[in-house]
Amino acid sequence: MIWFWLKNSRIFSLPMAILSWLVIFVYAFKNGGNIINGLVSLVGISFAQLATNLFDDYMDYKNLPPNSQQAKCSYIKEGKATLKDVLQVVIAYLSISTLTGIFLFFRCGLPVIGLAVIGGIITLLYSKMSQRGLSELAVGITFGPLLFEGVYFVMTGNFSLDVFIMSLAVVMFTIGLMYTHTVLDYEGDMCSHKKTLVCRLGSKAKAINGVFFVYGLGYLFTLILAYSMNNYDIFATFVLIPLVFNLRNSLKSFMCGEDEKEFYFRLLKARNLMVYYSVILTCCFIAQ
């Protein structure tokens, strides 16, 4: 039963939270950060992401079009879980995340509450934001400055401009995963009149080419980060550029209504890009 809910909470996407956390955890640790606070923050971040994913299904299921992707809310369609079950699991996830926030509040002070409130609001509003083309903005805030500055603060007691730039570089690869997901959902979202960023572009061809813009911004911030931190080992992340082209070509060959396996095959390409980028960046900080 536990695996059932973890799978349907899209646990496969959890590496983007864990590895974003790892990047800033290692950087903060090298700057004298508190390990316990950093590890506790990972628990809160992970369960908040799982809650967001599942609550998005809860909200989406009510407006699913007949020709939606087979993978979309399939466990609810097949009667393996009810909407009430989904909501109960979301509440359980958020309860665990809240407990970690309370723990860190007593250890680190009032700023933790402010960070947690912002994260909680975005978690609950994510589905609505997604329908209005703001899902990338939501992900950009939560997995970017909020996560990075939050972890750095609970570990060191400070905020940092370098950390802010770092968060923008890493989060563009996280946004790349979310953007890829909406490209794959393009036809279904158009039929249900969701105003995602991809749908607002007006054509699937433009949406697919938008992959270059998303990852291009990621590499722009990477350049700025390397110069700001005077760490040119960071340029090693540019070895991943061919994978961006591979992802774009893979999206071009995907057709609406294809088997669930084909859907996830392409989604995992975007996830792996984020994983590889974060691992390389983390190694650069370790080596410095």
Side-chain angles (χ1 to χ4, degrees):
M1 181 59 70
I2 293 176
W3 174 245
F4 171 82
W5 285 112
L6 289 176
K7 178 183 177 181
N8 291 309
S9 302
R10 297 190 282 285
I11 194 173
F12 71 84
S13 69
L14 205 54
M16 75 178 186
I18 295 174
L19 288 168
S20 293
W21 168 86
L22 181 63
V23 172
I24 187 57
F25 176 81
V26 168
Y27 181 75
F29 174 72
K30 296 217 39 169
N31 283 276
N34 184 286
I35 295 177
I36 294 176
N37 290 353
L39 292 173
V40 171
S41 71
L42 174 61
V43 176
I45 290 165
S46 298
F47 279 97
Q49 182 185 346
L50 293 175
T52 302
N53 291 344
L54 205 57
F55 192 64
D56 191 39
D57 282 355
Y58 176 84
M59 298 299 293
D60 273 354
Y61 182 74
K62 300 175 181 179
N63 299 303
L64 280 177
N67 65 335
S68 61
Q69 304 294 355
Q70 294 180 29
K72 204 171 182 70
C73 303
S74 60
Y75 63 101
I76 305 176
K77 293 177 185 176
E78 296 166 3
K80 296 177 180 177
T82 65
L83 284 179
K84 182 180 179 181
D85 295 332
V86 173
L87 189 58
Q88 288 176 339
V89 176
V90 169
I91 291 172
Y93 286 156
L94 290 178
S95 297
I96 296 172
S97 187
T98 299
L99 287 174
T100 64
I102 293 172
F103 175 84
L104 291 171
F105 163 67
F106 284 112
R107 288 177 63 90
C108 306
L110 194 58
V112 172
I113 298 297
L115 294 167
V117 168
I118 295 171
I121 291 173
I122 293 176
T123 294
L124 295 175
L125 295 181
Y126 176 77
S127 182
K128 294 292 185 183
M129 295 178 74
S130 177
Q131 292 173 2
R132 291 165 173 76
L134 299 174
S135 59
E136 287 79 11
L137 176 62
V139 170
I141 294 172
T142 52
F143 287 92
L146 191 63
L147 185 154
F148 278 73
E149 293 286 8
V151 173
Y152 192 74
F153 174 78
V154 300
M155 291 184 69
T156 67
N158 299 302
F159 295 104
S160 164
L161 178 59
D162 281 344
V163 169
F164 180 76
I165 298 171
M166 185 193 310
S167 74
L168 297 179
V170 177
V171 81
M172 293 311 302
F173 286 79
T174 301
I175 289 174
L177 173 59
M178 309 305 294
Y179 185 85
T180 298
H181 196 178
T182 55
V183 171
L184 293 170
D185 279 339
Y186 179 81
E187 288 84 0
D189 287 344
M190 286 293 286
C191 288
S192 60
H193 306 293
K194 286 182 70 173
K195 300 300 182 181
T196 64
L197 175 60
V198 165
C199 291
R200 289 180 182 276
L201 291 176
S203 76
K204 193 169 184 178
K206 289 181 180 179
I208 291 172
N209 288 330
V211 166
F212 291 141
F213 179 76
V214 173
Y215 289 104
L217 280 178
Y219 278 113
L220 173 61
F221 290 126
T222 300
L223 283 171
I224 297 172
L225 179 65
Y227 285 108
S228 175
M229 299 182 68
N230 197 30
N231 183 351
Y232 301 109
D233 291 342
I234 292 173
F235 290 149
T237 57
F238 281 72
V239 73
L240 300 175
I241 289 178
L243 297 185
V244 176
F245 284 85
N246 179 267
L247 172 62
R248 183 256 187 184
N249 292 335
S250 180
L251 290 174
K252 285 182 67 177
S253 66
F254 180 77
M255 301 297 294
C256 177
E258 280 198 76
D259 187 74
E260 181 176 347
K261 180 173 62 177
E262 295 297 324
F263 181 94
Y264 283 112
F265 173 72
R266 288 157 177 80
L267 198 58
L268 291 175
K269 284 179 177 287
R271 187 204 67 176
N272 290 342
L273 252 173
M274 192 276 165
V275 170
Y276 300 150
Y277 179 88
S278 299
V279 169
I280 293 173
L281 192 60
T282 300
C283 290
C284 292
F285 294 149
I286 293 174
Q288 190 175 34

